[in-house]
Amino acid sequence: MLDIIGKRNWYFFVSLLVIIPGVISLFLYGLKLSVEFTGGSRMTLIFPKEVNEKIVSQVRKAFAEEKVNVYTIQPAKNSVIIRTEPLQKQEDIKILSSLEKEVGKFKQESFETIGPTIGKETTRKAFYSVMIASVLIVLYIALSFRKVPKPASSWRFGITAIIAVLHDVLLLVGIFSLLGHFYNVEIDSLFITALLTIIGFSVHDTIVVFDRIRENLLRVSGVSFEKIVNDSILQTIVRSLNTSLTALLVLFSLLLFGGESIRWFIVALFIGILSGTYSSIFNAAPLLVVWHNWAMKKREKSNTP
């Protein structure tokens, strides 16, 4: 029989191994925030041919002539996404005219401007959304598992579920920090949507395992907590893997045919579901055992005269 709990330290080590590079990147480079968070303008230009270095250089030159600060120019096949300081509509029209003289025919697919104040408000709301979701999840799980037999604690179930979620959030944010630094991938409102979706998915997957642990604790007696948790994981692991695999297959199809505008949103979901499945099986339940064993040793020590 597979002994997941017995090898828990290896799984914790693997988690640290994949999280640490992203955490280092966060400290060194931070996140590349889109105009939705920092304020500014963003436009997408579509060209009749594939964008090469010459076109990028001509685009940069046109903006320089109009004395507009360009933050990033991101080419992708026959399109270019340009991020600049905040521009008014009249300034946009003027720049498009200059661009046409410089690079020839093209089409502006999108243009949006967000002021710095709205950007800060969006950032604040995104942070509050994640924090409130985490607190509500802890309260909900603690309440749902309140009848779990002692010495197990319903609060431990709630908090370890959030630690598993934190694992998924750190991994995803860290990877996007690296992608932002090396490939100019920006964090936008779709990323926050993906993050909240992943939090929900990860907790759902963890609750499936925790629910089986609770059932087995009520049904089985005279068996160690470690064995009950390990048995519960093995009883639910196939269901967890099948659920995740189904979702990943759908995301893979969207990744192939979903288009450029949602590509990184799909990538975020893909990473999050993989991470959420791993953390639910190999982090959340094993952490519950670690905490339980520590609490038992502490109790024994306090009862020893």
Side-chain angles (χ1 to χ4, degrees), residues 207-217 232 235-236:
I207 284 180
V208 170
V209 182
F210 282 4
D211 211 32
R212 184 56 61 91
I213 294 171
R214 177 178 58 178
E215 287 174 9
N216 287 338
L217 281 171
S232 303
Q235 288 162 13
T236 55

Side-chain angles (χ1 to χ4, degrees), residues 18-19 22-23 26 165-175 195:
V18 293
I19 286 175
V23 172
L26 277 172
V165 167
L166 187 63
H167 165 280
D168 304 332
V169 170
L170 274 178
L171 178 67
L172 182 65
V173 173
I175 288 175
L195 198 63

Side-chain angles (χ1 to χ4, degrees), residues 204-268:
H204 171 267
D205 217 27
T206 302
I207 284 180
V208 170
V209 182
F210 282 4
D211 211 32
R212 184 56 61 91
I213 294 171
R214 177 178 58 178
E215 287 174 9
N216 287 338
L217 281 171
L218 292 168
R219 198 178 58 207
V220 180
S221 60
V223 179
S224 71
F225 187 72
E226 283 194 27
K227 185 167 186 343
I228 287 178
V229 172
N230 197 69
D231 290 346
S232 303
I233 292 172
L234 296 180
Q235 288 162 13
T236 55
I237 193 169
V238 174
R239 176 183 167 183
S240 293
L241 293 177
N242 283 339
T243 304
S244 301
L245 184 61
T246 308
L248 289 174
L249 288 174
V250 174
L251 291 175
F252 184 69
S253 300
L254 285 171
L255 203 56
L256 291 177
F257 305 108
E260 188 66 29
S261 59
I262 59 167
R263 183 207 289 176
W264 294 111
F265 171 65
I266 302 300
V267 170

Side-chain angles (χ1 to χ4, degrees), residues 21-81:
V23 172
I24 293 172
S25 174
L26 277 172
F27 278 109
L28 290 178
Y29 315 126
L31 291 168
K32 197 169 191 61
L33 300 175
S34 75
V35 293
E36 294 169 42
F37 297 101
T38 60
S41 292
R42 180 171 56 193
M43 64 180 75
T44 304
L45 308 179
I46 306 292
F47 292 85
K49 57 184 178 181
E50 190 166 339
V51 175
N52 52 30
E53 282 299 322
K54 185 182 175 186
I55 293 177
V56 172
S57 175
Q58 289 170 328
V59 169
R60 199 181 295 279
K61 184 181 172 187
F63 276 87
E65 286 174 354
E66 294 298 328
K67 297 179 180 175
V68 173
N69 289 326
V70 176
Y71 300 151
T72 58
I73 297 179
Q74 190 178 347
K77 294 182 181 176
N78 66 331
S79 66
V80 173
I81 299 171

